[in-house]
Amino acid sequence: MADAGCMGPPPIRTIKDLDDAGHDLRLWCYACEREGMIDSIIWEAFVAKGWPIELDQARRRFKCKKCRSSRDVLLVAATRPKPDREITWSNVVHAWFFSRKSKRLFKGAVEERRR
């Protein structure tokens, strides 16, 4: 008989369970063979809208961006990618500032070409 203290992780039945386990959602559309990833924190939006967060019921809320099918979408747990570096407030601000700067520079270059 197995020891009760050696039980495995709890079963994943909801989107919140996925988030608590450190997983995201990978979506696969059988109709057009397209895949996508969604952060499983989306369960908070489901709760706010009063939608069910159980995986079998929540699946109907996900539509393929390409073919708009919701019948042919499969939800699969996906391991979250580990960040390249430690996530700190200064790293987030740094990344935001330089992404905005490159967009401003690119926009300026496009406007310059139009002249």
Side-chain angles (χ1 to χ4, degrees), residues 5-6 10-11 13 22 30 47 55 63 65 72 78 83 92 94 108:
C6 295
R13 294 188 176 107
Y30 285 107
V47 169
L55 289 170
K63 290 185 178 180
K65 289 183 178 181
D72 301 315
V92 171
H94 183 268

Side-chain angles (χ1 to χ4, degrees), residues 4 9 18 31 36 39 42 46-47 64 73 77 85 88 93 103 105 115:
L18 277 174
D39 191 325
I42 197 165
F46 274 61
V47 169
C64 177
V73 175
R85 57 186 178 185
T88 63
V93 171
K103 288 178 184 177
L105 293 174
R115 293 182 189 162

Side-chain angles (χ1 to χ4, degrees), residues 74-90:
L74 171 69
L75 300 179
V76 180
T79 304
R80 285 189 182 137
K82 297 195 188 244
D84 294 342
R85 57 186 178 185
E86 182 182 359
I87 298 175
T88 63
W89 181 245
S90 62

Side-chain angles (χ1 to χ4, degrees), residues 46-115:
F46 274 61
V47 169
K49 293 179 181 185
W51 295 348
I53 61 171
E54 289 75 22
L55 289 170
D56 59 338
Q57 296 174 25
R59 187 179 67 82
R60 292 177 285 189
R61 296 289 177 178
F62 294 99
K63 290 185 178 180
C64 177
K65 289 183 178 181
K66 185 176 179 183
C67 71
R68 305 301 297 159
S69 172
S70 61
R71 290 180 306 141
D72 301 315
V73 175
L74 171 69
L75 300 179
V76 180
T79 304
R80 285 189 182 137
K82 297 195 188 244
D84 294 342
R85 57 186 178 185
E86 182 182 359
I87 298 175
T88 63
W89 181 245
S90 62
N91 288 345
V92 171
V93 171
H94 183 268
W96 178 84
F97 175 79
F98 284 104
S99 72
R100 303 301 304 161
K101 182 178 178 184
S102 66
K103 288 178 184 177
R104 285 192 309 267
L105 293 174
F106 178 73
K107 183 179 177 183
V110 170
E111 289 174 357
E112 189 67 32
R113 286 184 191 169
R114 289 182 182 167
R115 293 182 189 162

